[in-house]
């Protein structure tokens, strides 16, 4: 796989993956990205120009996608509309990019025979009760809650159908909540870090007891690379690092890091249809592909992420005020 096409490679997880792939393989990388509000070309700065190029375009543009896919050995598909809250305000770009974009890519790999890896989410499985002893596995039935997770579930179903009906060379990964550098300040952890850094209170939805299973984005990248290199065609792999924390636990850890009172929290209007808990059982990925997370200590990973945001205020300051104004207009 000398030539990788990475869709959404200017977004949070995609850009971290591009850095990882350059460091751990000999491949050259083409990023296909529409450069939506969620993208940042700065996240690709400093990478060797003889190994990385950026094509600004839409994954739902089938003419462009057919041409680009045929020029590569493998596609890693990160591009998506990714924020649940936005999907509640306007689902239409989620349907277009997440469903029609994945459809265009599948048709392109069907024609060219190029290897395809589809990056998806644990949200396709719905949610768990707080006291449920079970975690999500590859056999958990699909039960998405939001327009975002429904569009991702639909895209997974397209990939599965294209494998079975047309024999496309595809794998799927469903990962839990990522944190780390280059994540947009609309998302929970960067929003709270940057609120506290500015002297504001963290804004927590509902009662704050919702649980997410946090994984450092570097560990997500190594999992995707392992699946691309050693995964079995047609298989799904769940990716997680045993990082379950309630939202309250996370904001209290951020407040402690800044030496602030742990209870200095603002509870705001809850998200409609808010999933209670996600939890991943990643035994298949570990036993079959030998994958292990490197960031097993969430508190250390969170501390490093806080320090990254403090050192890169120039990266997030420009979009912070507008992001907060949008939330404030919704009572959040
Ligand atoms: P992000 O919103 O930070 O980045 C998405 C990128 O896709 C952006 O660069 C954007 O410009 C690009 N994009 C959007 N629409 C496009 C289009 N039509 N054509 C081309 N490019 C387009 O998202 P993220 O958090 O990095 O998520 C990346 C992928 O990982 C998504 O598929 C998401 O569902 C999945 N995922 C995310 C998480 C998480 O915790 N963030 C966890 C599991 C899976
Ligand atoms: O589980 C994987 C998913 O994780 C990915 O598929 C999504 O792309 C990604 O955005 C993320 O979805 P969540 O909805 O879990 O992430 P978010 O950062 O929006 O919220 C995390 C939790 O924090 C959730 O319970 C909602 C809550 N929250 C969020 C924000 C932005 C707050 O309490 N306050 C906030 O300000």
């Amino acid at each position: 796989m000398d030539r990788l096409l990475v869709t959404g490679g200017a977004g949070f997880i995609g850009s971290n993956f591009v850095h990882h792939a350059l460091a751990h393989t000999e491949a050259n990388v083409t990023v296909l990205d529409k450069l939506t509000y969620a993208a940042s070309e700065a996240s690709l700065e400093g990478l060797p120009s003889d190994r990385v190029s950026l094509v600004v375009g839409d994954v739902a543009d089938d003419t462009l996608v057919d041409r680009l896919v045929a020029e590569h050995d493998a596609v890693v598909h990160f591009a998506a509309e990714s924020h649940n809250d936005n999907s509640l305000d306007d689902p239409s770009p989620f349907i277009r990019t997440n469903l029609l974009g994945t459809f265009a890519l599948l048709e392109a790999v069907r024609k060219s025979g190029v290897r395809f890896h589809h990056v998806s989410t644990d949200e396709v499985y719905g949610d768990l009760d707080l006291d449920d002893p079970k975690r999500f596995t590859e056999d958990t039935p699909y039960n998405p809650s939001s327009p975002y997770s429904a569009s991702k579930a639909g895209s997974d179903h397209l990939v599965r159908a294209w494998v079975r009906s047309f024999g496309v060379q595809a794998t799927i990964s469903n990962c839990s909540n990522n944190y780390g550098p280059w994540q947009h300040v609309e998302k929970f952890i960067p929003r709270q870090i940057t609120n506290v850094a500015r002297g504001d209170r963290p804004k927590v939805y509902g009662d704050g007891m919702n649980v997410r299973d946090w994984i450092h984005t570097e560990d997500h990248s190594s999992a995707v690379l392992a699946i691309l290199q050693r995964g079995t065609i047609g298989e799904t792999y769940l990716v997680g690092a045993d990082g379950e924390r309630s939202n309250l636990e996370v904001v209290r850890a951020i407040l402690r890091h800044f030496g602030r009172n742990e209870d200095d929290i603002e509870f705001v209007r809850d998200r409609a249809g808010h999933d209670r808990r996600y939890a991943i059982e990643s035994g298949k990925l570990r036993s079959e592909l030998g994958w292990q997370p490197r960031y097993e200590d969430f508190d250390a990973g969170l501390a490093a992420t806080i320090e990254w945001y403090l050192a890169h205020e120039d990266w997030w300051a420009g979009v912070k005020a507008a992001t907060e104004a949008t939330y404030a207009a919704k009572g959040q």
Side-chain angles (χ1 to χ4, degrees):
M1 295 184 197
D2 294 334
R3 299 166 303 170
L4 289 183
L5 179 64
V6 178
T7 75
F12 163 47
I13 305 175
S15 62
N16 276 284
F17 177 80
V18 172
H19 283 264
H20 186 87
L22 290 177
H24 293 89
T25 73
E26 303 289 312
N28 291 334
V29 173
T30 306
V31 169
L32 170 60
D33 201 296
K34 193 177 169 184
L35 300 183
T36 70
Y37 80 95
S40 162
E41 281 187 83
S43 63
L44 299 171
E45 268 169 17
L47 292 173
S49 58
D50 57 334
R51 291 187 64 199
V52 185
S53 58
L54 170 66
V55 175
V56 179
D58 190 334
V59 286
D61 175 348
D62 49 7
T63 307
L64 172 67
V65 162
D66 279 355
R67 178 176 62 75
L68 281 176
V69 167
E71 293 168 359
H72 291 81
D73 303 312
V75 180
V76 188
H77 178 34
F78 291 96
E81 287 290 337
S82 70
H83 192 36
N84 275 296
D85 292 321
N86 294 344
S87 81
L88 297 166
D89 296 336
D90 179 10
S92 58
F94 290 75
I95 302 306
R96 180 180 156 73
T97 291
N98 301 359
L99 286 167
L100 297 182
T102 303
F103 169 61
L105 286 158
L106 284 168
E107 285 293 85
V109 296
R110 177 154 84 103
K111 289 173 204 151
S112 59
V114 165
R115 173 85 168 84
F116 184 70
H117 180 71
H118 179 62
V119 178
S120 192
T121 169
D122 58 358
E123 295 195 15
V124 299
Y125 302 115
D127 63 351
L128 298 162
D129 289 333
L130 294 181
D131 59 357
D132 192 331
K134 289 194 302 298
R135 297 190 283 174
F136 298 139
T137 72
E138 287 78 4
D139 298 322
T140 303
Y142 276 53
N143 187 25
S145 314
S146 72
Y148 162 68
S149 50
S151 68
K152 291 297 291 188
S155 68
D156 291 11
H157 289 316
L158 292 179
V159 178
R160 288 167 179 227
W162 262 242
V163 169
R164 178 159 171 170
S165 299
F166 304 123
V168 303
Q169 301 291 296
T171 43
I172 301 176
S173 53
N174 296 83
C175 187
S176 58
N177 285 63
N178 284 220
Y179 70 98
W182 305 117
Q183 187 170 28
H184 195 283
V185 293
E186 70 184 352
K187 300 285 168 47
F188 179 59
I189 286 183
R191 184 180 184 204
Q192 312 314 340
I193 293 172
T194 52
N195 279 347
V196 178
R198 294 194 148 192
D200 295 333
R201 288 191 291 170
K203 313 272 195 254
V204 172
Y205 296 171
D207 62 6
M209 296 305 288
N210 305 66
V211 168
R212 297 295 183 262
D213 190 354
W214 295 100
I215 180 172
H216 195 282
T217 193
E218 177 72 13
D219 286 330
H220 188 184
S221 292
S222 67
V224 168
L225 195 57
I227 297 165
L228 191 65
Q229 293 172 330
R230 306 191 292 284
T232 302
I233 297 303
E235 290 294 309
T236 289
Y237 298 88
L238 263 57
V239 184
D242 302 330
E244 280 188 70
R245 295 283 187 289
S246 73
N247 294 338
L248 273 181
E249 286 178 290
V250 174
V251 292
R252 288 194 169 125
I254 294 170
L255 285 162
R256 271 199 305 279
H257 188 96
F258 282 89
R260 291 258 301 268
N261 178 345
E262 284 189 23
D263 294 320
D264 197 8
I265 295 167
E266 185 176 346
F267 290 91
V268 296
R269 193 163 68 83
D270 206 355
R271 172 184 287 172
H274 195 174
D275 280 340
R276 199 59 168 158
R277 171 175 163 243
Y278 306 139
I280 288 268
E281 163 53 55
S282 58
K284 174 177 171 178
L285 177 65
R286 294 172 194 241
S287 63
E288 291 187 11
L289 303 187
W291 174 83
Q292 281 290 334
R294 200 158 64 83
Y295 289 85
E296 287 182 292
D297 179 347
F298 174 76
D299 292 321
L302 179 64
T305 303
I306 294 171
E307 293 307 318
W308 188 90
Y309 278 89
L310 291 179
H312 293 82
E313 184 164 354
D314 55 332
W315 180 74
W316 54 264
V319 294
K320 178 68 181 167
T323 304
E324 286 306 314
T326 303
Y327 277 125
K330 297 189 287 184
Q332 292 181 318

